[in-house]
């Protein structure tokens, strides 16, 4: 089951995206639900109600009645009722501002079926992954999305959670943690540190983390590879991995 939302003040544009989604999901036999909104305010009201189910994929317009899509994106990044966002808009000049922690890409109106299908496929694959890392001594596991960075401390690893939610200690060294994260966007940047690229806004001699005052150093031996991984991740965020 995938839960999709379309937030667009133009009902005809919303209908087009919905029909494309339904066409693909019916073809592959995946159950789905839609919850659609004509304004950002209505979407945020839904998100603030913890009784409502998470929106797995939000197709979001830039121009909306009242609050615009860029501001909506900024606000939903701070709550857990929206998993991934794809902008669908004719305003290309907003493309750079559209990207963020949850944004997968930017589709120019009128959208093409292949573009919409690629993003749905990506989210379905992501939902099928094990996004909770299980470690001995950590009862509920650790959600990948909660991890800001990981600090090695000898035979232990300290997982620093985002938004100041504290730390969790794992009785495994950093080399083991590196194997566990596998293909996830968590990379080694120092002999004692790994960072989650989802929350990196800049990477040079130090890692700049979004919404955090923490400073993570970048080791000289790791810098070139870390910068390459960061560039590749940014490319993926603008949709190259979905082509």
């Amino acid at each position: 089951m995938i839960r999709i939302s379309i937030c667009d003040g133009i009902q005809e544009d919303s209908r087009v995206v919905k029909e494309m989604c339904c066409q693909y999901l019916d073809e592959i036999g995946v159950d789905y639900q839609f919850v659609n909104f004509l304004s950002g305010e209505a979407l945020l009201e839904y998100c603030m109600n913890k009784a409502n189910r998470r929106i797995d994929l939000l197709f979001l317009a830039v121009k909306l009645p009242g609050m615009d899509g860029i501001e909506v994106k900024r606000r939903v990044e701070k709550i857990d009722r929206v998993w991934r966002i794809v902008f669908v808009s004719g305003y290309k000049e907003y493309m750079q501002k559209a990207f963020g922690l949850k944004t997968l890409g930017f589709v120019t109106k009128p959208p093409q079926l292949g573009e919409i299908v690629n993003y749905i496929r990506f989210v379905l694959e992501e939902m099928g992954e094990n996004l909770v890392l299980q470690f001995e001594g950590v009862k509920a596991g650790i959600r990948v999305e909660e991890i800001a960075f990981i600090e090695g401390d000898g035979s232990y690893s300290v997982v620093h959670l985002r938004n100041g939610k504290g730390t969790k200690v794992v009785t495994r060294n950093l080399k083991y943690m590196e194997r566990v994260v596998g293909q996830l966007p968590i990379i080694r940047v120092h002999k004692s540190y790994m960072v989650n690229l989802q929350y990196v806004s800049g990477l040079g001699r130090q890692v700049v983390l979004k919404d955090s005052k923490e400073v993570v150093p970048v080791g000289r031996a790791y810098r070139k590879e870390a910068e390459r991984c960061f560039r590749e991740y940014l490319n993926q965020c603008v949709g190259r991995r979905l082509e």
Side-chain angles (χ1 to χ4, degrees):
M1 168 71 75
I2 183 171
R3 193 171 182 83
I4 296 174
S5 176
I6 303 167
C7 185
D8 195 323
I10 303 175
Q11 294 189 47
E12 177 59 22
D13 289 355
S14 179
R15 182 191 63 79
V16 169
V17 174
K18 182 177 180 179
E19 287 183 353
M20 289 179 175
C21 294
C22 293
Q23 178 180 333
Y24 174 64
L25 292 168
D26 286 340
E27 285 177 359
I28 63 174
V30 171
D31 291 334
Y32 55 86
Q33 291 182 344
F34 279 90
V35 52
N36 295 338
F37 306 96
L38 295 175
S39 70
E41 286 83 358
L43 168 64
L44 291 172
E45 184 177 350
Y46 172 94
C47 291
M48 295 309 295
N49 186 343
K50 293 184 178 181
N52 289 330
R53 285 189 54 193
R54 184 187 78 177
I55 295 167
D56 301 309
L57 176 57
L58 167 65
F59 290 103
L60 179 61
V62 170
K63 294 295 185 179
L64 294 166
M67 185 185 306
D68 69 21
I70 304 302
E71 177 62 18
V72 173
K73 180 264 303 185
R74 188 186 69 81
R75 296 196 185 192
V76 299
E77 283 180 342
K78 299 179 179 180
I79 50 183
D80 62 359
R81 285 296 177 273
V82 175
W83 175 245
R84 294 290 181 248
I85 300 170
V86 172
F87 276 86
V88 182
S89 174
Y91 296 90
K92 294 182 181 180
E93 62 270 27
Y94 287 91
M95 186 178 296
Q96 186 173 355
K97 292 182 179 180
F99 288 97
L101 298 180
K102 300 184 178 184
T103 305
L104 291 179
F106 191 103
V107 174
T108 303
K109 288 184 178 181
Q112 301 300 309
L113 176 61
E115 295 175 306
I116 299 300
V117 165
N118 280 337
Y119 288 115
I120 295 173
R121 184 184 295 123
F122 180 88
V123 172
L124 287 173
E125 290 175 355
E126 195 175 46
M127 290 169 64
E129 294 176 356
N130 180 16
L131 296 176
V132 178
L133 302 179
Q134 301 291 343
F135 300 103
E136 184 178 348
V138 182
K139 291 183 179 180
I142 303 173
R143 289 183 60 84
V144 171
E145 198 174 50
E146 293 179 331
I147 300 172
F149 66 96
I150 304 171
E151 181 180 3
D153 185 11
S155 59
Y156 293 82
S157 295
V158 181
V159 179
H160 294 256
L161 305 180
R162 63 184 295 257
N163 293 335
K165 293 183 179 179
T167 61
K168 293 187 178 182
V169 177
V170 178
T171 55
R172 294 284 187 168
N173 61 26
L174 208 59
K175 188 174 182 179
Y176 172 85
M177 299 293 282
E178 206 170 7
R179 292 198 303 269
V180 168
V181 299
Q183 299 302 310
L184 297 170
I186 301 175
I187 66 167
R188 192 81 168 259
V189 296
H190 188 278
K191 65 179 181 180
S192 300
Y193 292 93
M194 300 176 70
V195 296
N196 190 341
L197 291 176
Q198 295 180 72
Y199 307 119
V200 173
S201 60
L203 194 155
R205 293 185 178 181
Q206 294 180 334
V207 175
V208 179
L209 295 168
K210 299 174 183 178
D211 300 321
S212 175
K213 295 180 180 179
E214 296 278 3
V215 175
V216 177
V218 177
R220 183 178 299 178
Y222 295 87
R223 188 176 304 157
K224 186 175 181 179
E225 178 64 12
E227 289 176 346
R228 184 195 67 79
C229 290
F230 185 45
R231 287 194 302 270
E232 184 176 287
Y233 179 75
L234 293 177
N235 288 338
Q236 292 170 354
C237 287
V238 298
R240 292 184 185 177
R241 185 167 59 175
L242 302 178
E243 292 177 353

